[in-house]
Amino acid sequence: MQKTLLTKLSIIVGLCIVFSIGLSMISDIIYERQYYTESVIKEITEQHVNPQEVINPFIAIPTTVTPACQSSDTPNVKNKCEPSYSKIETIFAFQTQAAQNLKVNTDTYKRGIYSATSYDGQLTFNQSYTLGKTLKNLDQAGTTIDDDADKTQLAKTITHWNKVKLIIPVSDLRGVATLPTVTINQKTIAANYPQIPIIENLTYVEVDIPKDVLDQLINPTSQQNKDSLVATSSAGINLDKSEVNSQLSNPRDNQALNIMIDLPLAGISNVTTVPTGQNFTLSMHSDWQTPNFIGKSLPNIKSITAAGFDASWQNQYLTIANNQYLSQCLSAPNHQCTVISEPTLNTDSHSYNPDSFEASRGLTADSMAVAGSNQSILLNSFGVSFASPNDVYLQTERAMKYALLLILVSFGTFFLFEVLKSSHIHPIQYLLVGCALFVFYVLLLPLAEQIAFWQAYTVAASACVGLIGWYSYYVFGGFKRAVIFTATLAGLYAAFFGILSTEDLNLLLGAIFCFVILACVMVMTRKLDWYKVT
């Protein structure tokens, strides 16, 4: 008798091992379909538009630096003079209030049953610049005082005021349907694509600063300003200090520069913003109900409802750190530093390149400073990823974690009927019931790709429960036993779906469920004499 019992248990264990191999094959199919979905979305981004990263606009001032020449004490040896090089000086906004209003949908870009989550909306920047301190630093850089008698030529910096631009960096300009509307001191200025970019490897639109604003920028307010070399003519001719003083009058030092930017923006999957300046705040509104906040900072305030979400960010540390990284990178000689602004579908890509910078001035590992040439930087950013609330592959994968438990419980119920009710069930019948349970997962994935997951789960579970319930009527040879087994199986499917639906408590509920099943088995077999089981 014991030999028969052990043989039956061995057969059940063997069937479970076989079905576990089959379940691993279904898991491979899930990963394959998920990879194919990601490849389709990637193809959509290549043909339409990528995820977007927008850097807070700033003013770029091109300069040309001529280093000082070193005199030589050796006769017939020429003085050592380094060649001139170009660099970019930056002026960041003192105050910036940015606002995003985005509409999100999943129907714009589709390939068969696959679709990419896209957004379309408006990004508004309200900026205020205070120029006095920045111009003072720029003027000090324009004149180099050196008492070394060995210097035969002083270093000098030429500021090309006629090439000053307002830079509006956007990672993928395909998502900017029309050029943004820019208002500078209540004067509307047209934005343009750069003909000859002054910042390499960075996609942006630029705005020419009006001449009256240029006059404000180059207004001489100190003796050091008067010693600076500037270039203001539209023809690009560099003017000396006497020409500048003859053209400028009525100094207007420290006047604020107010800029309004309305930027249409479209993208896929996620959108991030790089804060710069002194005081930067970002508010975002969208009709998407399941946002996933990403980047180096979470929103200070957020509200998520059935109608969408609202969020706002303000992080002074990240803003000041970006000022340092960006200004140091753009001031590198001859564009030897590159600003990387290429967000990807992978949200984990918003991280630092440890080879790009070295820690300086006691900052943390995340705070890097430009070191050497041919460097690249990744700026701090924050934003949102428009996560899909119904990721069928993730939900199916979670359902698969309980598949072996479902088969074990079903086989265990069959076995208890054999032991307690003296039923005779052939191993082939165990195999057929296991195959029906296995087919549930084969049906679940393709159905979930076509309809909602809960609908797919209901259809697949109903089909399998109905088939097994009809078959169990002939296996047990009675209606009552078939109803009990069918109700037990339906309860298992309902319980597993309830566990899947509670993301925060699924591990706890799963553990409680296993305990309850074990307790039920122990209660039902507490008086059973296993030595007399046939």
Side-chain angles (χ1 to χ4, degrees):
M1 292 187 294
Q2 294 301 311
K3 183 177 181 181
T4 303
L5 177 63
L6 292 176
T7 301
K8 181 61 68 70
L9 290 175
S10 299
I11 292 173
I12 293 175
V13 172
L15 290 175
C16 290
I17 294 175
V18 171
F19 285 120
S20 65
I21 296 174
L23 292 173
S24 66
M25 297 175 64
I26 295 181
S27 297
D28 293 338
I29 296 176
I30 294 175
Y31 295 140
E32 180 182 346
R33 300 289 288 183
Q34 188 174 15
Y35 175 79
Y36 183 70
T37 302
E38 294 173 353
S39 65
V40 170
I41 295 177
K42 184 178 180 181
E43 179 184 349
I44 292 174
T45 62
E46 292 175 351
Q47 296 178 351
H48 294 278
V49 62
N50 285 295
Q52 294 286 16
E53 181 174 84
V54 181
I55 301 176
N56 187 30
F58 58 90
I59 295 176
I61 306 176
T63 62
T64 300
V65 179
T66 303
C69 292
Q70 298 282 348
S71 62
S72 176
D73 296 334
T74 305
N76 301 324
V77 176
K78 294 183 179 180
N79 297 330
K80 183 179 180 182
C81 296
E82 297 292 335
S84 300
Y85 61 87
S86 61
K87 67 176 186 177
I88 303 294
E89 297 292 343
T90 52
I91 300 179
F92 298 107
F94 176 77
Q95 182 79 30
T96 300
Q97 293 181 345
Q100 287 181 333
N101 192 342
L102 302 176
K103 292 183 179 181
V104 185
N105 64 76
T106 58
D107 297 327
T108 303
Y109 304 111
K110 301 189 70 173
R111 294 286 190 278
I113 63 174
Y114 306 104
S115 63
T117 304
S118 62
Y119 54 87
D120 190 8
Q122 198 79 9
L123 176 56
T124 303
F125 293 98
N126 187 354
Q127 295 184 317
S128 176
Y129 289 81
T130 301
L131 308 173
K133 183 178 179 181
T134 303
L135 293 180
K136 181 179 179 181
N137 296 335
L138 187 59
D139 292 335
Q140 289 176 348
T143 301
T144 302
I145 300 176
D146 200 322
D147 296 331
D148 190 351
D150 293 336
K151 301 288 182 68
T152 60
Q153 177 184 331
L154 295 179
K156 66 178 181 180
T157 299
I158 299 177
T159 305
H160 303 283
W161 294 106
N162 61 305
K163 297 181 181 179
V164 176
K165 308 288 185 182
L166 174 67
I167 304 298
I168 308 174
V170 181
S171 61
D172 191 345
L173 289 177
R174 294 178 299 173
V176 181
T178 59
L179 288 171
T181 302
V182 181
T183 303
I184 301 179
N185 285 350
Q186 299 182 348
K187 182 179 180 181
T188 302
I189 309 296
N192 298 291
Y193 298 108
Q195 299 297 324
I196 302 178
I198 61 175
I199 303 176
E200 297 183 356
N201 300 313
L202 184 67
T203 56
Y204 62 91
V205 294
E206 62 183 20
V207 180
D208 294 325
I209 305 297
K211 189 176 184 305
D212 58 339
V213 178
L214 278 178
D215 291 343
Q216 177 182 355
L217 290 174
I218 63 177
N219 190 21
T221 60
S222 65
Q223 183 62 35
Q224 288 181 340
N225 286 7
K226 293 180 180 181
D227 293 337
S228 299
L229 296 175
V230 298
T232 58
S233 66
S234 59
I237 302 175
N238 294 326
L239 304 181
D240 58 25
K241 63 179 181 179
S242 61
E243 292 173 312
V244 171
N245 289 333
S246 66
Q247 292 183 12
L248 301 176
S249 60
N250 300 324
R252 296 169 289 176
D253 190 21
N254 293 332
Q255 290 191 4
L257 181 63
N258 298 313
I259 297 178
M260 286 283 297
I261 303 171
D262 291 325
L263 177 68
L265 189 66
I268 285 179
S269 182
N270 59 69
V271 57
T272 55
T273 304
V274 176
T276 62
Q278 298 298 320
N279 300 284
F280 180 90
T281 59
L282 170 64
S283 61
M284 182 183 296
H285 171 77
S286 175
D287 56 355
W288 195 249
Q289 298 88 5
T290 56
N292 178 28
F293 298 108
I294 59 177
K296 296 297 182 180
S297 175
L298 294 176
N300 304 92
I301 301 174
K302 62 179 179 180
S303 174
I304 303 175
T305 64
F309 75 91
D310 292 275
S312 62
W313 289 261
Q314 185 174 20
N315 192 301
Q316 191 74 4
Y317 168 74
L318 297 182
T319 303
I320 299 301
N322 283 339
N323 294 348
Q324 297 173 353
Y325 307 154
L326 190 57
S327 60
Q328 291 176 13
C329 183
L330 295 183
S331 62
N334 296 325
H335 310 290
Q336 293 179 343
C337 180
T338 301
V339 180
I340 298 177
S341 180
E342 297 178 354
T344 64
L345 294 171
N346 181 10
T347 57
D348 294 334
S349 64
H350 295 272
S351 59
Y352 292 96
N353 181 355
D355 299 329
S356 298
F357 294 98
E358 294 179 353
S360 65
R361 292 178 288 189
L363 300 179
T364 62
D366 281 344
S367 302
M368 303 294 187
V370 175
S373 60
N374 300 322
Q375 300 295 314
S376 61
I377 63 169
L378 283 170
L379 300 174
N380 301 298
S381 64
F382 44 68
V384 63
S385 173
F386 300 102
S388 174
N390 297 312
D391 188 340
V392 297
Y393 303 106
L394 178 61
Q395 291 175 312
T396 305
E397 183 182 356
R398 292 177 58 198
M400 291 286 296
K401 296 181 183 299
Y402 298 96
L404 189 58
L405 179 60
L406 177 65
I407 294 175
L408 282 173
V409 173
S410 301
F411 283 175
T413 305
F414 257 44
F415 182 73
L416 288 178
F417 271 109
E418 277 197 275
V419 172
L420 298 177
K421 301 299 181 179
S422 300
S423 300
H424 297 285
I425 303 176
H426 195 274
I428 294 297
Q429 294 173 318
Y430 277 94
L431 176 64
L432 293 175
V433 171
C435 289
L437 296 173
F438 181 80
V439 169
F440 166 78
Y441 297 97
V442 177
L443 290 173
L444 180 61
L445 178 59
L447 285 173
E449 289 183 330
Q450 304 291 336
I451 57 179
F453 181 79
W454 70 269
Q455 295 174 336
Y457 191 97
T458 302
V459 171
S462 300
C464 292
V465 169
L467 177 62
I468 295 174
W470 169 81
Y471 184 68
S472 63
Y473 171 78
Y474 296 96
V475 173
F476 296 129
F479 181 78
K480 183 178 179 180
R481 295 180 181 181
V483 169
I484 294 175
F485 179 76
T486 303
T488 302
L489 187 60
L492 289 175
Y493 277 111
F496 286 137
F497 184 79
I499 294 174
L500 293 175
S501 302
T502 55
E503 297 182 1
D504 297 332
L505 299 175
N506 54 4
L507 181 60
L508 176 61
L509 294 178
I512 294 175
F513 177 79
C514 291
F515 177 81
V516 171
I517 291 295
L518 179 60
C520 291
V521 173
M522 295 176 70
V523 169
M524 287 187 292
T525 60
R526 66 188 184 278
K527 297 181 180 180
L528 181 65
D529 187 356
W530 291 97
Y531 287 102
K532 296 181 179 180
V533 174
T534 60

